[in-house]
Amino acid sequence: MYTDINFKTKKALKEAVANGKQITVYQPGPFGGNEPKNGTVFLEGPHYPEPHKWYAQAELVDGLIVKVK
C-alpha cells in the first residue's frame, strides 16, 4: 500500500505522523478500493515508478495513520 503523500523516506512519514498530519493509505491497481479503516497495514515508498527504498508497518484508526514502525 501507499500513503496519499509520496514520502521519499520512512523518516519523513514518521515525522509527519508525529506532527499530527492526517495521512491516509491506498492500494493502487486492480486490488484497490478495499483498504481497511482500522488495523495494521504494510506500506512501501516512494511511489511507483520510482524504486521502493523503504517499507513500514502502520496502524490505522478511522482510515488515518496513527503509528508507524
Side-chain angles (χ1 to χ4, degrees):
M1 287 193 168
Y2 292 146
T3 57
D4 59 340
I5 300 168
N6 189 9
F7 292 99
K8 300 299 180 190
T9 65
K10 181 163 64 170
K11 180 180 178 185
L13 169 60
K14 285 182 163 186
E15 288 174 355
V17 171
N19 290 331
K21 188 156 181 76
Q22 294 188 341
I23 303 165
T24 60
V25 300
Y26 72 96
Q27 178 68 45
F31 303 108
N34 61 350
E35 296 82 3
K37 294 293 181 194
N38 297 293
T40 303
V41 294
F42 296 92
L43 305 170
E44 54 193 11
H47 295 178
Y48 180 84
E50 294 178 64
H52 298 142
K53 295 180 181 175
W54 62 264
Y55 299 89
Q57 178 179 334
E59 296 297 321
L60 298 178
V61 174
D62 295 329
L64 300 175
I65 297 175
V66 295
K67 184 177 178 184
V68 178
K69 289 184 184 179

